[in-house]
Amino acid sequence: LFDFDYTIVDDNSDTWIHRCAPGGQLPSAVRDSYVAPDWIGYMNRVLSHLAGATEHAIRAELEGIPWTHGMRRLLEAIPGGLAGVNHAAILSDANSLFIPWILDGGGGGVAAGAAAAAPPQGQGAGRLPPLAPQCAAPPHACRRCHANLCKREAMRQLLQRRAAAGFTYRQVVYVGDGRNDLCPCLALGPHDVAMPRVGFALQKLL
């Protein structure tokens, strides 16, 4: 199981699209408007400012995001039968459009369709649609995770779906970097493995 931003890719995919703004940067009124914890509301403002950018232009920009060293090679090896690995998926609250666009553009072998990502976005005349609005109250009781996704619960549901399809796993390996990756790591079993990115928040919290 992989996180996405600063794990598979070496940047934040949400802020990477700021480059699609006229002149290559957002005006400070939009760029500096984030008020914690409403990231989805902030991204709605960003995407509204980018309303003139086509999906093709934003996708092309995202395909230029740098990958974490060695990650592209790792993901490309998984479908070919990397020793001991028979399934890979992403658990991320990154934009659920951005993830497959980046993976498709970079040749990554992770099954993006299995990703537990931010609420799905609708389609809209070639323009990037807004993220789902931020709820007034979080849809889960977990205080470790972001309001739109508890990664522990997403991991549990993913493993349940795989079990219902006849798949069980000898070991789960979780690869991540951030504070919101702590929650699923604490739910791992005695034979599972947490692999935090060196120098990032998750390593310091474990």
Side-chain angles (χ1 to χ4, degrees):
L1 296 174
F2 294 85
D3 179 43
F4 193 72
D5 289 341
Y6 289 108
T7 297
I8 290 178
V9 295
D10 197 20
D11 213 301
N12 184 327
S13 55
D14 279 346
T15 58
W16 188 263
I17 65 168
H18 293 185
R19 293 164 170 78
C20 294
Q25 60 182 2
L26 293 171
S28 58
V30 177
R31 184 185 65 245
D32 302 332
S33 68
Y34 172 62
V35 178
D38 188 15
W39 184 259
I40 292 181
Y42 170 71
M43 284 304 300
N44 280 334
R45 292 188 290 278
V46 171
L47 295 174
S48 293
H49 184 77
L50 300 179
T54 65
E55 178 181 308
H56 175 76
I58 294 177
R59 181 168 184 162
E61 191 66 56
L62 284 167
E63 289 177 355
I65 194 170
W67 284 52
T68 301
H69 179 70
M71 192 61 71
R72 188 194 306 265
R73 183 179 178 185
L74 171 63
L75 300 188
E76 290 174 345
I78 291 173
L82 183 67
V85 179
N86 57 15
H87 181 236
I90 294 168
L91 288 181
S92 174
D93 55 3
N95 188 297
S96 58
L97 286 175
F98 297 174
I99 292 173
W101 287 353
I102 293 168
L103 293 176
D104 289 347
V110 167
Q121 290 76 41
Q123 302 300 315
R127 297 291 191 265
L128 190 67
L131 290 120
Q134 177 70 46
C135 299
H140 58 78
C142 178
R143 296 187 177 183
R144 290 193 178 97
C145 293
H146 296 160
N148 62 323
L149 180 71
C150 172
K151 289 191 172 185
R152 177 194 296 246
E153 179 62 17
M155 181 175 69
R156 185 188 68 81
Q157 292 179 8
L158 174 61
L159 294 176
Q160 280 187 342
R161 290 195 301 271
R162 296 292 289 177
F167 296 94
T168 57
Y169 299 102
R170 177 173 51 85
Q171 184 179 66
V172 173
V173 178
Y174 189 94
V175 186
D177 70 278
R179 291 181 177 276
N180 65 333
D181 294 310
L182 178 64
C183 186
C185 287
L186 294 177
L188 294 173
H191 301 294
D192 299 333
V193 177
M195 298 186 69
R197 187 173 182 188
V198 174
F200 283 70
L202 179 60
Q203 183 193 28
K204 299 170 185 176
L205 292 169
L206 287 173

